[in-house]
Amino acid sequence: MNYWLTQLFNGFSYGALIFLLAMGLSLIFGVMQVINVTHGTYFLVGTYIGLSILTWTGNFYLAILGGGLVIALVGIFIERFFLRRLRGNDLGQVLITFGFVLLLQDAILLIWGPDPKLMGEPKSISFTAHIGSFTFPSYRLFVIVVAAAVAAGLWLFENKTKFGSAVRAAVDDVEMASGMGVNVPLVFTVVFGLGSFLAGLGGVLSGPWLGLQYGLDLEILPYAFVVVIVGGMGSLKGAILASLLVGLVDNFGKGFFPDLAYFTLFLPMAVILAVRPQGLFGRTL
Amino acid sequence: MKRALVGLTVLATALVLGLVLAPRGDAAEKGPIRIGLLTSKTGVLAIHGTHQMAAVEAFKDKYGTTVAGRKVEFYPEDDQSKVPLGVTKVRKLITGDKVHIVMGGLFASTGYAIAPLGDQYQTPIFVWSCPDDLSQRKRYKFVVKYFSCSQPQHAMAHWLRKNKPQVKKVIIFGPDYAFGYESSGGFQKVFEDMGGQVVQKIYAPINTVDYGPYIGQFRKDAEGMFVTLAGPQALRFPKQYQQAGLRDKYVLVGNGTNTDEFALAAQGEDVLGWITAHIYGGAAYPSQDNQEFVRNFKKHLGNKDPGYYAEGYYGALVLIYKAIEAIKGDVENKAKFMEALGRTKVTEGMPGGPKVSDGYGNLNTNVYIRDVRKEASGKLYHHVLHVYENVSQFWSYRPEEFLKQAVYDKDFPPCKFCK
Amino acid sequence: MIFELLRGRGRVAVAVAALVFFAVYPWFASRFMITVLVQCLIMAILAMSLDLMVGYTGMASLGHAAYFGSGAYAAAIVSVTYKASFPEALAVGLIVAVAVTAVFALVALRATGVYFLMITFALAMLIWGLAYRWNSMTGGENGIAGVQRPSFIAGTTTFYYFVLAIAAAVFVFFGVLVRSSFGRTLVGIRESESRMRTLGYNVWLHKYIVFLISGLFSGLAGVLWVFYDSLVAPPLVDLSTSFDALLMVSVGGGGTLVGAVLGAVIVKMLENLVNLVTDRWLTVVALVYITVVLLAPQGIIGLLRDLMARREMNRAALEVAGRANASAGKEGSK
């Protein structure tokens, strides 16, 4: 019984972390039709920046916020001066985002070096918790709480604010939205900034849990892609559901079929692609 | 603007052509002795690469760049922690830079992949990583190596049975490739031959980010764990293990890479008390040779401590120099060079203790059992509990008997006591 | 003057000159550079097969590592584990690559544009996941080492000529293909799918077939690579291989075939030679990506063609102006 609870909890918490990474990617793809390959690297660079902020100020929460903000700025810069020039050139956008992956990777090497690093979380959220006979690390619970808060915030944003409805309109149909007076370039920049912010924030959160390792960006990116594909591009509901699914499938897959660990993750994705390419909640292609 | 681009294009094409035509000369010249070094300066194993390059500098400090009357040049190459690139780089070192010997390779798999190149190009390859079979069942004429993955872990099992006999049932956990299988296999063989039982074997990919699914599977009825952590695993696993509340549940022993100096500072209290076995005693080991090595090393890497990655690289270079001296610098005679490499023996100057060729392309070496302690200043270090001397890759088994069994692999030795 | 060369019969002359250059190359190059050029030629085959889809049909795929890798792994597995001969390994590699393409194409062709990119990428990840984790079959992280070439191509130079011959044959075959009516249909599809459909063409079938051809030749490149390197491992099947192939097509110029070859040579040369000069090869390659995408989206060949067209226009304009001046002059001097 305990085993199942533990794995369930692990899957949920990992899914929560993936949600933060994937939601940004999903938004960017849903609104701007851009496959932002740099997203994983935003996540990783965010972690490094968070570490630096933590080292300078000693404040973990400041690091989380700061990491998110700096990455948001980086993302906005790249969107405004590079991606915008390639509107309509799908392939070009993908290639250039990959170019930035390499650039940012080299930046990590130059600024922080190739050594793996560890990040410490505040003692207040770093203990082994017990509920009855069930034990779990409290930090993972913290991640779940943050992710839930972000999801709630996003829901409010999308459904209760004017700008949010502009975003939803853009996801549905960009040309129509433009025709109806939505400032599409502004929406794009804000969405890209928001997506990057989420990636950076998720990155800092992952620091104490996954460690800082050069190369993590491209390892974790496939998970985000699976979520976006399975959940549907641009859909908040889809991203939440798919992230949890991915977390659980990954956990149990690794437990029961270690040989086929990645395959158990990508196969459902391939099935969805074959049967329902727009994902669970995406708009019809 | 367009004109500039055309100009650039023409220039680029000219450059390409120039580079295409540039490196010439298949004629071998006598001149300096060229030693090719394969390491990982970027990618998941980049940290080891930095340590190894610093070790090379420390080596040059003590032994200089002249041997047997000839100058020595080093050619470091980066395999970006990718096995296929390792092969490409070795090929480039041999055919392009015309090195007389290649040393290096971090992944055990890289070792297996570059070994055939030695025979193909008739150039000695000193494989630094520890693939067991290269000195057992898959021997190549032009390959020697530094040690076998299973070599220290035979000793680990022996020590565990002798010093903590209450630990009868052990769970094995390691990275899902040759290094993991061979280290664990070595432990399992001796452990079970001495009456212990391995009740579970779990392997996780080296890149695993979340160890939750694996930790959740650990059997509750075991008393101990034998853990091997490679590369980034050393930084992720201990923390997640500790967070799951398991530190006090099992007696944990394992591979020296778990707490190697490269990670020790970052790992912190999570690894306090972890017991590991390796061919190096640690930066704190008080032998004179070791302390001299540590001093020289620190000069080149901002006061960081060397671990076995550095010591091994350093030691390999000492052995290479020894071999070159033995043949009076005649490295162009590849066969003679290779033969000397297969016979080397160094008893002083080695931070990791004496190394003696065993006639099978491997080295007999010391194995140090150490645990992690904390100084008054809070710094973590290795304290050596016991030294096994002159340990061979075959442990106490007769080589002919040992070679009859299969190489340690994912399914060998078989898990007789598993669920 | 260069431009005259690139037109009409000049083109054939340039092609022959290039072939001659490649043919005599081993006489004056070092062994190392020969191996680099082998890499370029094998990748040229991959780039050309990708160009067929991307440049000619307008189907940008982010997952060609899947077909390249399927061919490579299949050939390696039967060659090492089952001790197959070279022709057998080649055949198996090609068959597996086509089979994988046949299945993947069915899934991927349900989408277009950006979604197609996404899906092809996801499918390539599937193959990568298999390569990485199916230890018993693919060797997992270690990959499969020890692939042997048959003695007639065991040498560096002999293998070079072997690959050169195949690459040249592929180039000619594709050249004929794109000039055939099938090839022209592909271009039509690139320009406007809906128009082609109204004209009665079975667009889906054309796309499926070109996908298969592309997959087949990508698989061929994979098999050749395995026999060049004697090793296959997961990094060969990951994201960067798919991107590299796209970069080659983009740098050289999509839709020109020769651009794919040029791109392959340039990118592979860069990769092999940049880190002789600097440790910052990541940044150098990144800058190449970014510069090419921003400033030369049609690639080098595209750039040259642009300039040719411009000169044509200028010359034609000058002629017209000259005639106008002459007649005006005649009138004016009355």
Side-chain angles (χ1 to χ4, degrees):
Chain A
M1 182 54 190
N2 252 335
Y3 171 72
W4 291 100
L5 273 178
T6 315
Q7 295 296 44
L8 219 71
F9 179 74
N10 280 336
F12 260 61
S13 52
Y14 193 58
L17 191 65
I18 297 292
F19 167 73
L20 289 167
L21 175 66
M23 188 65 225
L25 189 66
S26 182
L27 261 179
I28 291 174
F29 191 72
V31 171
M32 304 166 66
Q33 310 278 287
V34 170
I35 301 184
N36 185 25
V37 186
T38 332
H39 211 72
T41 321
Y42 287 158
F43 184 84
L44 184 62
V45 176
T47 321
Y48 277 97
I49 291 181
L51 178 67
S52 292
I53 296 181
L54 182 64
T55 319
W56 293 333
T57 68
N59 187 327
F60 185 66
Y61 303 100
L62 196 64
I64 296 180
L65 218 60
L69 281 172
V70 172
I71 296 297
L73 288 172
V74 171
I76 290 178
F77 175 76
I78 292 181
E79 191 274 331
R80 179 68 188 77
F81 292 106
F82 293 94
L83 288 174
R84 194 176 286 199
R85 275 193 212 179
L86 297 167
R87 277 303 296 155
N89 181 355
D90 298 331
L91 187 57
Q93 285 178 326
V94 173
L95 282 178
I96 214 176
T97 52
F98 190 67
F100 280 108
V101 168
L102 301 179
L103 213 57
L104 286 173
Q105 283 185 340
D106 216 13
I108 291 179
L109 280 180
L110 271 173
I111 302 178
W112 287 279
D115 315 15
K117 301 193 192 302
L118 268 185
M119 194 164 157
E121 68 275 24
K123 293 269 189 265
S124 51
I125 44 174
S126 164
F127 53 90
T128 315
H130 304 265
I131 296 186
S133 65
F134 172 57
T135 61
F136 60 93
S138 67
Y139 189 73
R140 291 191 185 216
L141 188 60
F142 176 67
V143 172
I144 294 181
V145 166
V146 172
V150 167
L154 281 171
W155 186 87
L156 280 171
F157 172 72
E158 269 192 8
N159 291 291
K160 301 282 183 208
T161 68
K162 218 169 100 180
F163 201 84
S165 46
V167 170
R168 268 186 305 145
V171 171
D172 273 342
D173 190 331
V174 171
E175 275 157 28
M176 276 284 267
S178 179
M180 303 218 301
V182 171
N183 183 348
V184 169
L186 182 64
V187 170
F188 279 8
T189 307
V190 170
V191 163
F192 204 89
L194 180 62
S196 313
F197 174 78
L198 289 174
L201 183 127
V204 181
L205 267 179
S206 81
W209 180 353
L210 306 178
L212 286 91
Q213 176 75 35
Y214 177 79
L216 181 62
D217 51 345
L218 292 178
E219 281 167 37
I220 207 165
L221 190 63
Y223 288 91
F225 270 102
V226 173
V227 169
V228 173
I229 291 178
V230 168
M233 351 243 176
S235 158
L236 175 61
K237 253 191 304 190
I240 295 176
L241 193 60
S243 305
L244 290 177
L245 269 173
V246 165
L248 288 169
V249 168
D250 188 54
N251 247 273
F252 285 105
K254 289 209 175 104
F256 290 119
F257 312 109
D259 247 11
L260 303 173
Y262 281 100
F263 197 68
T264 49
L265 196 61
F266 294 131
L267 187 60
M269 171 195 73
V271 167
I272 298 254
L273 279 175
V275 161
R276 203 187 146 88
Q278 70 269 34
L280 295 172
F281 294 103
R283 68 173 149 100
T284 342
L285 293 182
Chain B
M1 159 78 160
K2 285 281 177 153
R3 210 173 304 163
L5 279 169
V6 175
L8 261 167
T9 310
V10 173
L11 205 70
T13 325
L15 200 74
V16 168
L17 277 174
L19 285 168
V20 158
L21 299 176
R24 275 198 94 265
D26 271 306
E29 321 117 28
K30 223 162 157 85
I33 298 181
R34 289 179 289 271
I35 301 184
L37 299 171
L38 185 68
T39 181
S40 304
K41 289 199 206 153
T42 53
V44 284
L45 302 178
I47 176 62
H48 305 316
T50 346
H51 277 227
Q52 290 183 330
M53 288 291 99
V56 174
E57 295 306 311
F59 173 81
K60 286 198 247 176
D61 282 350
K62 174 155 184 201
Y63 292 91
T65 50
T66 313
V67 69
R70 288 175 72 175
K71 234 184 138 317
V72 175
E73 279 175 7
F74 294 97
Y75 289 77
E77 280 294 339
D78 177 15
D79 72 354
Q80 299 170 33
S81 311
K82 293 188 180 159
V83 175
L85 259 164
V87 173
T88 310
K89 291 303 169 83
V90 170
R91 208 179 266 124
K92 171 195 173 274
L93 282 168
I94 297 180
T95 58
D97 300 307
K98 311 263 182 291
V99 299
H100 296 102
I101 177 173
V102 174
M103 191 272 280
L106 265 169
F107 274 122
S109 341
T110 307
Y112 281 122
I114 65 177
L117 295 174
D119 282 10
Q120 186 185 353
Y121 292 104
Q122 305 272 296
T123 304
I125 300 202
F126 197 132
V127 171
W128 184 84
S129 51
C130 57
D132 276 14
D133 237 4
L134 285 184
S135 59
Q136 293 172 9
R137 297 157 205 84
K138 276 205 179 111
R139 295 177 52 201
Y140 290 88
K141 180 159 178 262
F142 276 90
V143 171
V144 284
K145 66 186 221 289
Y146 200 62
F147 76 111
S148 289
C149 297
S150 56
Q151 203 169 341
Q153 310 316 326
H154 291 140
M156 184 77 255
H158 181 270
W159 186 91
L160 185 62
R161 284 265 76 211
K162 278 261 135 61
N163 290 276
K164 296 190 192 269
Q166 75 276 18
V167 176
K168 280 220 183 54
K169 298 209 192 88
V170 165
I171 301 172
I172 283 181
F173 179 70
D176 200 358
Y177 72 111
F179 177 55
Y181 311 148
E182 290 172 8
S183 310
S184 309
F187 174 85
Q188 182 179 3
K189 172 135 180 74
V190 173
F191 191 67
E192 291 188 335
D193 280 355
M194 289 176 74
Q197 294 182 355
V198 167
V199 295
Q200 199 178 22
K201 296 214 283 198
I202 300 181
Y203 292 108
I206 191 176
N207 284 325
T208 302
V209 150
D210 184 13
Y211 289 93
Y214 303 101
I215 293 179
Q217 290 174 56
F218 291 163
R219 275 172 66 152
K220 305 277 188 268
D221 60 334
E223 291 102 17
M225 290 218 51
F226 176 80
V227 171
T228 301
L229 300 174
Q233 294 186 320
L235 280 126
R236 294 177 185 155
F237 180 79
K239 180 143 244 203
Q240 298 182 24
Y241 181 78
Q242 189 267 95
Q243 282 176 340
L246 295 178
R247 255 179 76 79
D248 302 315
K249 178 145 174 45
Y250 302 104
V251 170
L252 192 148
V253 301
N255 202 305
T257 51
N258 298 355
T259 57
D260 188 85
E261 272 75 3
F262 86 90
L264 204 51
Q267 286 171 322
E269 309 247 326
D270 293 331
V271 296
L272 207 54
W274 276 33
I275 300 170
T276 58
H278 220 332
I279 57 173
Y280 180 51
Y285 189 62
S287 83
Q288 205 180 7
D289 291 327
N290 189 33
Q291 289 310 311
E292 183 182 2
F293 162 64
V294 172
R295 269 196 310 274
N296 282 336
F297 180 84
K298 281 164 111 102
K299 278 192 268 169
H300 296 285
L301 201 60
N303 226 20
K304 294 214 174 85
D305 280 336
Y308 113 92
Y309 293 92
E311 178 268 333
Y313 231 56
Y314 181 95
L317 287 173
V318 175
L319 287 160
I320 292 178
Y321 265 29
K322 244 324 171 69
I324 296 177
E325 278 167 3
I327 56 170
K328 307 225 189 326
D330 189 15
V331 295
E332 278 74 17
N333 187 335
K334 303 282 176 71
K336 203 159 106 179
F337 189 17
M338 197 59 229
E339 205 221 340
L341 280 166
R343 276 190 287 115
T344 38
K345 166 176 156 161
V346 181
T347 42
E348 316 101 3
M350 296 294 261
K355 310 272 179 200
V356 179
S357 298
D358 70 350
Y360 287 85
N362 198 43
L363 296 164
N364 285 4
T365 167
N366 284 359
V367 172
Y368 302 83
I369 310 287
R370 25 345 112 103
D371 70 354
V372 176
R373 303 203 177 172
K374 193 161 72 159
E375 278 177 8
S377 61
K379 177 176 159 185
L380 295 174
Y381 70 101
H382 284 116
H383 170 87
V384 173
L385 298 165
H386 184 82
V387 181
Y388 289 88
E389 291 184 354
N390 202 33
V391 173
S392 126
Q393 58 175 318
F394 304 115
W395 187 237
S396 51
Y397 304 103
R398 288 195 4 253
E400 311 82 58
E401 293 301 313
F402 189 90
L403 290 175
K404 283 207 202 110
Q405 76 184 19
V407 71
Y408 297 128
D409 202 355
K410 195 161 188 176
D411 305 303
F412 184 83
C415 194
K416 299 191 295 242
F417 304 101
C418 288
K419 217 176 327 137
Chain C
M1 186 215 46
I2 316 175
F3 303 128
E4 275 71 43
L5 277 179
L6 294 173
R7 269 187 296 154
R9 241 159 288 166
R11 259 196 209 153
V12 177
V14 171
V16 170
L19 194 62
V20 168
F21 171 76
F22 280 120
V24 303
Y25 184 73
W27 289 354
F28 53 81
S30 69
R31 202 169 176 189
F32 169 61
M33 285 309 291
I34 298 180
T35 60
V36 172
L37 221 65
V38 168
Q39 289 187 28
C40 295
L41 289 170
I42 297 179
M43 281 312 176
I45 298 177
L46 176 64
M48 283 192 282
S49 71
L50 184 60
D51 192 19
L52 215 56
M53 274 178 66
V54 175
Y56 285 93
T57 324
M59 299 158 66
S61 156
L62 207 52
H64 263 56
Y67 323 113
F68 178 81
S70 304
Y73 265 99
I77 291 173
V78 301
S79 172
V80 172
T81 321
Y82 298 104
K83 308 269 187 283
S85 67
F86 177 70
E88 286 170 346
L90 180 62
V92 170
L94 291 177
I95 293 175
V96 170
V98 173
V100 169
T101 317
V103 172
F104 281 9
L106 284 174
V107 175
L109 283 177
R110 295 167 66 101
T112 53
V114 155
Y115 296 91
F116 183 74
L117 267 169
M118 198 63 143
I119 290 178
T120 50
F121 168 74
L123 292 169
M125 286 278 96
L126 211 70
I127 296 290
W128 176 82
L130 272 179
Y132 189 55
R133 298 300 294 137
W134 195 0
N135 275 331
S136 45
M137 194 81 220
T138 65
E141 199 130 18
N142 296 9
I144 301 189
V147 178
Q148 304 266 33
R149 299 207 276 262
S151 42
F152 78 96
I153 43 172
T156 312
T157 322
T158 43
F159 189 64
Y160 170 81
Y161 281 120
F162 179 67
V163 171
L164 177 62
I166 296 186
V170 171
F171 183 72
V172 168
F173 173 67
F174 278 177
V176 167
L177 188 68
V178 300
R179 279 169 184 67
S180 71
S181 57
F182 178 73
R184 286 196 297 264
T185 314
L186 294 179
V187 176
I189 294 177
R190 180 188 77 203
E191 297 303 315
S192 168
E193 275 192 37
S194 44
R195 194 188 321 149
M196 297 305 280
R197 246 178 246 127
T198 48
L199 286 173
Y201 288 94
N202 186 341
V203 170
W204 185 92
L205 189 61
H206 278 85
K207 286 163 90 168
Y208 190 69
I209 293 178
V210 80
F211 210 138
L212 284 177
I213 297 177
S214 181
L216 174 71
F217 284 93
S218 298
L220 173 65
V223 174
L224 287 174
W225 185 273
V226 153
F227 281 96
Y228 154 70
D229 221 13
S230 71
L231 159 82
V232 68
L236 217 60
V237 203
D238 71 10
L239 196 59
S240 46
T241 306
S242 294
F243 270 104
D244 258 5
L246 269 180
L247 182 68
M248 292 176 201
V249 172
S250 302
V251 165
T256 63
L257 263 198
V258 91
V261 177
L262 185 62
V265 170
I266 292 180
V267 170
K268 271 300 167 194
M269 286 283 185
L270 270 178
E271 282 181 11
N272 273 292
L273 303 172
V274 164
N275 59 1
L276 292 177
V277 179
T278 166
D279 261 349
R280 307 258 69 87
W281 57 273
L282 271 173
T283 304
V284 171
V285 176
L287 287 175
V288 172
Y289 265 106
I290 297 174
T291 317
V292 164
V293 169
L294 280 181
L295 297 180
Q298 297 300 341
I300 293 180
I301 300 292
L303 215 58
L304 288 174
R305 284 190 181 172
D306 253 1
L307 286 151
M308 271 169 57
R310 211 166 284 232
R311 282 191 77 169
E312 276 302 297
M313 275 178 16
N314 282 345
R315 190 170 313 157
L318 277 171
E319 268 190 44
V320 170
R323 266 186 267 128
N325 268 343
S327 52
K330 274 201 223 123
E331 287 185 21
S333 59
K334 259 206 248 166

